[in-house]
Each structure stands twice: as C-alpha cells, then as structure tokens.
Amino acid sequence: MLTSPGSQIWLPDVLYSGRLLRDSSEKVERGVFSSRSIRMAKARTGHWLSILAFSLILLKTEGFYVGITYVDSAVAKGAVCLDGSPPAYHMDKGFGAGINNWLVHIEGGGWCNNASTCLARRDNRLGSSKQMVKQIAFSGILSNKQKFNPDFYNWNKIKVRYCDGASFTGDVEAVDPKTNLHYRGARVFLAVIEDLMAKGMKNAANAVLSGCSAGGLTAILHCDKFRALLPVSTKVKCFADAGYFINAKDVSGAAHIEGFYSEVVATHGSAKNLPPSCTSSLRPGLCFFPQNMAQQIKTPLFIINAAYDSWQIKNILAPGVADPHGTWHYCKLDIKDCSSSQLEAMQDFRVQFLSAIKGLIGSPSKGMFINSCYAHCQTEMQETWLRDDSPVLGKTTIAKAVGDWYYDRSPFQKIDCAYPCDSTCHNRLMDWTFVRKAWDKWISTSIGSSGEPLKAALLINYDPTGPSRLLSTIAEQEGIRAKPIEVNQFVDFIKRNNLQSESFFIGQNQYLVTSIHDGWFCARCMNTSHPAGEGAIVMQTTSFILVALYDGSIGSASRAMVDVDQFAWQLGRKNL
C-alpha cells in the first residue's frame, strides 16, 4: 500500500505493512498520545509484531526481493520512459538446468490516451524509472522455489517495468517541449530485449514472453516480434495473463473502450508497431484488441483470463462515465453485491468474452485457462498461481496447465462454467461486506460535526497490482465529498516519498506533514480558518489508506488517533 513511511513486505496478492507502534514514552514527549491511547498502543504492539513476523515468514517461503537494473544505454537510442528516464527491469538469474532458460514478464499498468493522462503518469512509477522502487518481490510465476513454481523456478526471470502507457507500442520522434513527454514504448521494448540478449538470452534454449494486464496485452502484441529477435533454435512461447481485453459496449450502450484505445494508438503513434496482419484490414485502434489479431499470431500463445475479469467489468462494462450515479459501485467492489440485473449484464459480458476467444479454440498452437472468477491477473500471485487452495479447472492449477502446455506434456484449452459455479475462486482477501459493516459502525460513533473525535474520514482502496489509475480509489467516505482525481493526486503524493518536503491537499485544505511514523503520519492544515486549527492522520493498513480529519489542537489529535487506530486494527485482523 503506502510506499512510505514504514517497512513493507510484498506478498502474493497484497501488501503487508507492519504498523509497529514505537516506544510510548516517545509519543508522550511529542504530545501525540493520551494515556488511553498509550495503553492501546502497548496492547497492540504485540499484535503488529505478530503480523510482521507472519509476513516475514510468508515472504521467506513464497517470495523474495529482486533489485532494479536500469538500461542506461537505451537513452542514447531514444528508448525512454514517458519522462525521458531509462527503462528498467528486475532480474533473478537462472541456475542449474534452467541457466539457459529465460522468462521475460511485463508489468501491467493501464494506458494513457492523451497528453493530459500521460502527463499524470509522467512523474510516477508508471512513467518514470526515477520513481520506481529499488526492489520488488517475485512470487508466483516468478518464484525461485520448485514447490511454488515447478516448471520455471530455476529460469532466468525478468520483470520489465512498465513506463510508456501504451503496452510498449509507441514511437513518436518529436518530444513536446511543454510536457517533455516521450512516446517511445516500442523502442523501450527492443532496448530491454537487446540488453537481455547481451546478458545471455542470445543463447537461450527456452524463452517465454509473459505479462499481466497491460503487460499481458504486450505479450500478445509483441509475441511474434519476440520470437523473431531470438535464435531459430530457441523454443519460444508467450503467456498473456489478464491481457485479453475485449471490445464491448458499456452499460450505457457507448463504445467507451473502443474510443479510448483509438486515442491511445493515435497519441503514441502505435499503428506501425501493431501486427500488420490486422492493420492491413482494420483501423489501428481496433488492432489493440486481441480478438482482432491474436488468431494470426504464429508463435504459440497461452491465454490466462477470468471470464468476469474484474478490471474489464469496472472499466469496460461499467466505467464511471457510464454510471454517473454510482449504481455499480458496490457491485464492482464485490460480485456478491451485484443485483440481478447487474449479474445479468455480467453474464452477457462473459458471453461476449467467450465469443471474442472463439477463434483460438481448437488451434494446436493456442492454450487457454478461462475461469469464472472475479479476478484480474493470476500468475504473479502465489495463491492463484500454485498453492494448495489455488483456483483449478479440470482439477488443474494455472501453474500446471501452463507448464504442461509449454513443455508439450499435454494441450490445455478449458473454459469454466458460468458464475457462481466455481468454488475454487479467491476473493483476494478483500471482504468488502466486512469492511462496509465495520466502516458504518465506526463512523456512527467516531465522525460528526461536533462532539466526535473526527469531522471526516476517507478510506482509499489502492491496489498496487491494479492495471490503471482509472480504477475507482474511493472505497468509503464520510463528512467529505472527495473526487477520484483529487484522491489520485494524494496517492501520487504518497508514492513520491517526499513527505517532509511537500504538502498535500484534501479538498480545499492544504496540509503539511508534521510527524512521520512507521505506517502512518500526522499533518496540520496550513490554510484553516478554524481558531484551534485542523489536522489529519493518515494510516496504512494492508489494503487501504485511511485519511482521518479532525478539528482542534494536539489534544484533539490524541483522541482522533485512538479512533483511527481502532478502525485500522479491525481491518488488520482480517489482513485488509
């Protein structure tokens, strides 16, 4: 969740952050805690230590950190991220029998369709290698443990960071001097592959191009190109995880995603880097959809996708622009909360998805694992890739299906029955019913115009594995009417990790951070008209950022802190 402050542990599917409470005497000196909060802090220290210890154990067994590599030589070739910084990737070297095998996995991150949306990405990790964390954890298909990744554990495994906003298809020579935006994704892809070739991939016996979400689309669009860059003797196949985005109308009847993709292609100059077999007969924007070009891919391709892909439901079927009154809000958060009419629309979406892949069915060079989970990206997370309780089709996990298909042990083309027949699906630890009930109970006693510890609170749902900043980020709010764009700006402030030198806005109020702790920080309003002042407490949990606003002095802060910590603790018990 929060990139700062505090320690973070990336586990399969979610980010666990140990919110350790420091010595209470230190907080007394700073006037942060009341005596009541001190007692609560002491009681909970053991709880958070237990979570941290558990997280460390899981990290050790199911994931491991890998450092970043910058391709500095690419800059001279103009192969750069949106902001002009060099491309980057993380590499875990192969060993044993896998020393000459290579798995190149592309990170996801959505797309930007014009100068404004690309500018919004330019100064964060989706547009600049300067803003990328120096280490990320590998798990699932990137795991180095045979138990968790039996067919690829000892391969050279690379995760390519995504920073161009067009699935590595753009190539515009001109750079806008006003925005300094570089649309050079196609050059970045080539530069990264050339760098890996120099490090040994030119001798690869086996090679895979894979990716998640926008990275999965990259694996489809560049599959044949990847094959062509490697020696003829190399066995090459491609995996696309949650990258099969379909051209479906939204609930209002508008062709929203078709227009969006056309703008992406036009902005980035992508047409010349899309498969000619498609662009020779269709408009370039339509060739961004796998259903219009995947059938012509000559290199073997395996599709891993949920028929009810959660990103596609949220952003293709029911995007905010098609749902101005927020009717789909809770349904998009949890499929169990969908009405009968919403479920009917989602079932129709599944029918359209299956129609979009029908051209691949029966092809000896194509494989597919199409389950009926409400999910997005299933290969990077250990719990969905391979674990005792992982999703299965025909009693086969994703890891086994992909491995058997790659090594030609057996073909695999299976499509799940319709929701809700599959009992093996994961809810990604996001029990929205629990969250909403806990939230409603909490705000009834903690938030009010007078007499309560808080005047407003905002619960931000921020998923670091999500494919796009277009995802709804406001999970709940009370006493404030925050807008998604404002919340995204606040999240960007958190990501930049300059808490001590920057201010941030919540609504019309500007805040300055006054104290930073492990997993949370305090701030004071700089432009308040309130005589006693106004403050904010920002706290991280596993899956949320909780922003709590209060009126008053430090004494008010201590009351607010107790209530905020109480709610965060409830979420922590559920790893939420």
Side-chain angles (χ1 to χ4, degrees):
M1 273 298 306
L2 286 176
T3 57
S4 64
S7 58
Q8 304 172 61
I9 300 167
W10 175 256
L11 298 176
D13 187 36
V14 293
L15 186 69
Y16 287 74
S17 300
R19 186 167 56 84
L20 301 180
L21 300 178
R22 295 179 180 176
D23 188 346
S24 298
S25 62
E26 176 186 354
K27 291 189 170 62
V28 171
E29 292 174 2
R30 295 182 182 180
V32 176
F33 280 158
S34 65
S35 59
R36 179 189 173 200
S37 65
I38 292 172
R39 290 195 297 272
M40 294 183 71
K42 288 181 177 178
R44 298 206 180 125
T45 298
H47 165 74
W48 289 108
L49 282 171
S50 297
I51 288 181
L52 180 60
F54 175 69
S55 301
L56 286 169
I57 291 170
L58 281 179
L59 179 63
K60 183 176 180 181
T61 58
E62 294 188 353
F64 62 103
Y65 283 112
V66 178
I68 197 167
T69 298
Y70 299 99
V71 189
D72 292 316
S73 60
V75 176
K77 306 172 186 176
V80 292
C81 298
L82 285 171
D83 71 333
S85 59
Y89 60 80
H90 301 255
M91 177 177 175
D92 178 47
K93 292 185 178 180
F95 58 93
I99 197 167
N100 288 321
N101 299 334
W102 294 73
L103 172 68
V104 181
H105 185 81
I106 312 296
E107 181 183 31
W111 312 272
C112 56
N113 61 326
N114 54 45
S116 295
T117 57
C118 290
L119 191 60
R121 301 162 67 101
R122 186 194 63 188
D123 299 322
N124 62 47
R125 67 176 180 84
L126 293 176
S128 173
S129 61
K130 297 175 183 177
Q131 304 302 325
M132 296 173 182
V133 294
K134 299 300 186 290
Q135 290 186 325
I136 61 173
F138 278 17
S139 64
I141 196 172
L142 299 173
S143 174
N144 63 355
K145 300 290 193 300
Q146 188 172 9
K147 175 183 177 181
F148 296 117
N149 190 25
D151 288 309
F152 308 105
Y153 73 99
N154 58 359
W155 285 34
N156 295 281
K157 295 175 293 295
I158 297 92
K159 185 167 185 177
V160 181
R161 302 305 299 271
Y162 181 53
C163 66
D164 81 303
S167 290
F168 294 104
T169 60
D171 192 358
V172 177
E173 184 65 35
V175 177
D176 186 340
K178 294 182 180 179
T179 63
N180 193 40
L181 284 168
H182 299 69
Y183 302 114
R184 304 283 182 76
R187 297 190 198 183
V188 168
F189 180 82
L190 183 60
V192 168
I193 298 303
E194 288 177 346
D195 195 64
L196 295 174
M197 295 284 276
K199 291 182 177 178
M201 196 164 71
K202 63 182 179 182
N203 300 316
N206 295 282
V208 163
L209 178 65
S210 69
C212 154
S213 191
L217 179 58
T218 301
I220 297 173
L221 294 173
H222 288 282
C223 187
D224 282 342
K225 182 180 295 183
F226 182 71
R227 162 69 277 182
L229 292 170
L230 287 158
V232 176
S233 59
T234 306
K235 179 177 183 175
V236 179
K237 295 188 179 184
C238 304
F239 308 154
D241 178 13
Y244 208 95
F245 299 91
I246 69 169
N247 188 7
K249 291 184 177 179
D250 62 34
V251 291
S252 73
H256 173 74
I257 190 64
E258 181 178 320
F260 181 82
Y261 272 180
S262 293
E263 292 170 0
V264 170
V265 169
T267 297
H268 291 261
S270 301
K272 57 182 173 290
N273 293 306
L274 297 173
S277 59
C278 180
T279 55
S280 61
S281 57
L282 294 176
R283 288 186 288 106
L286 294 175
C287 296
F288 221 61
F289 291 101
Q291 66 199 75
N292 294 327
M293 42 73 62
Q295 194 172 355
Q296 284 74 48
I297 294 175
K298 298 177 182 178
T299 308
L301 172 67
F302 195 103
I303 303 296
I304 305 113
N305 227 102
Y308 307 90
D309 184 291
S310 58
W311 189 91
Q312 296 195 52
I313 295 297
K314 294 171 182 176
N315 296 278
I316 295 180
L317 178 63
V321 67
D323 183 36
H325 302 296
T327 306
W328 278 77
H329 176 73
Y330 290 122
C331 174
K332 290 193 293 184
L333 294 178
D334 191 332
I335 194 172
K336 296 192 295 294
D337 288 337
C338 296
S339 67
S340 58
S341 61
Q342 289 168 337
L343 282 175
E344 185 178 348
M346 291 172 71
Q347 298 293 13
D348 180 65
F349 183 87
R350 173 180 179 269
V351 171
Q352 293 182 69
F353 184 88
L354 298 184
S355 176
I357 64 170
K358 66 182 180 181
L360 308 182
I361 297 174
S363 170
S365 67
K366 305 295 191 294
M368 63 179 67
F369 187 109
I370 310 298
N371 59 11
S372 288
C373 302
Y374 187 61
H376 185 72
C377 289
Q378 301 177 83
T379 61
E380 295 178 347
M381 301 171 289
Q382 197 61 55
E383 68 178 67
T384 47
W385 173 247
L386 180 60
R387 220 166 60 183
D388 292 342
D389 59 346
S390 294
V392 296
L393 271 181
K395 299 182 180 180
T396 304
T397 62
I398 297 173
K400 180 169 174 51
V402 170
D404 286 349
W405 177 83
Y406 179 82
Y407 282 107
D408 301 311
R409 295 191 289 256
S410 64
F412 196 95
Q413 283 197 351
K414 292 189 183 298
I415 299 172
D416 208 351
C417 49
Y419 174 85
C421 71
D422 192 339
S423 61
T424 68
C425 293
H426 280 249
N427 195 30
R428 302 196 64 194
L429 304 181
M430 297 299 286
D431 188 345
W432 293 104
T433 300
F434 169 82
V435 172
R436 288 197 298 276
K437 286 182 178 179
W439 174 268
D440 290 341
K441 183 177 180 180
W442 179 64
I443 64 173
S444 67
T445 58
S446 298
I447 301 175
S449 57
S450 62
E452 304 295 351
L454 303 173
K455 68 172 184 178
L458 178 67
L459 190 65
I460 301 172
N461 168 34
Y462 173 61
D463 179 4
T465 68
S468 173
R469 297 177 76 253
L470 297 177
L471 281 169
S472 176
T473 54
I474 301 175
E476 298 285 356
Q477 55 183 316
E478 181 71 16
I480 185 174
R481 301 309 303 170
K483 299 177 181 179
I485 189 170
E486 295 172 342
V487 173
N488 282 328
Q489 290 169 352
F490 172 70
V491 172
D492 287 343
F493 160 77
I494 297 294
K495 289 178 182 178
R496 287 195 296 272
N497 196 18
N498 293 323
L499 301 183
Q500 293 176 312
S501 58
E502 295 185 23
S503 60
F504 64 90
F505 285 87
I506 298 293
Q508 299 298 315
N509 284 354
Q510 184 176 11
Y511 291 85
L512 184 68
V513 176
T514 55
S515 61
I516 301 173
H517 313 275
D518 286 341
W520 59 281
F521 62 86
C522 298
R524 296 295 290 174
C525 182
M526 300 168 63
N527 60 328
T528 181
S529 59
H530 196 284
E534 297 178 68
I537 296 169
V538 180
M539 185 172 290
Q540 67 181 36
T541 70
T542 300
S543 305
F544 296 99
I545 301 173
L546 177 59
V547 181
L549 307 178
Y550 63 90
D551 289 335
S553 60
I554 291 178
S556 301
S558 63
R559 287 187 65 210
M561 183 65 213
V562 170
D563 276 68
V564 174
D565 189 57
Q566 184 180 40
F567 181 66
W569 178 70
Q570 291 183 60
L571 299 185
R573 288 189 302 162
K574 294 278 189 177
N575 285 330
L576 292 171

